[in-house]
């Protein structure tokens, strides 16, 4: 259990830093126009919100500290 908390904390911490640094993005496809069966679509790259990265850093840090501090039962 303890090792799992530490590993999950490190992964979330690293992902949070990656997103906060501006590297996280996703693609979104929108239909611009449609006439019958013909469609014009546009794909946009959108950045992940910075609050998501900050939340990852906080939760990852808490899991990491909890894994290090917790005693084996």
């Amino acid at each position: 259990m303890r090792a799992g908390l530490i590993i999950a904390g490190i992964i979330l911490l690293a992902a949070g830093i990656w997103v906060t640094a501006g590297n996280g993005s996703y693609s979104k496809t929108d239909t611009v126009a449609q006439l019958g069966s013909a469609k014009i679509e546009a794909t946009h790259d959108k950045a992940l919100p910075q609050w998501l990265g900050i939340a990852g850093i906080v939760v990852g840090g808490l899991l990491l500290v909890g894994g290090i501090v917790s005693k084996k039962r």
Side-chain angles (χ1 to χ4, degrees), residues 22-66:
N23 296 325
S25 65
Y26 63 96
S27 296
K28 183 177 179 184
T29 303
D30 295 326
T31 301
V32 178
Q34 182 173 359
L35 182 62
S37 63
K39 279 196 238 182
I40 298 175
E41 294 182 342
T43 303
H44 305 282
D45 287 333
K46 300 217 174 210
L48 291 173
Q50 190 174 12
W51 64 265
L52 191 62
I54 294 170
I57 292 171
V58 170
V59 172
L62 289 173
L63 286 176
L64 186 62
V65 169

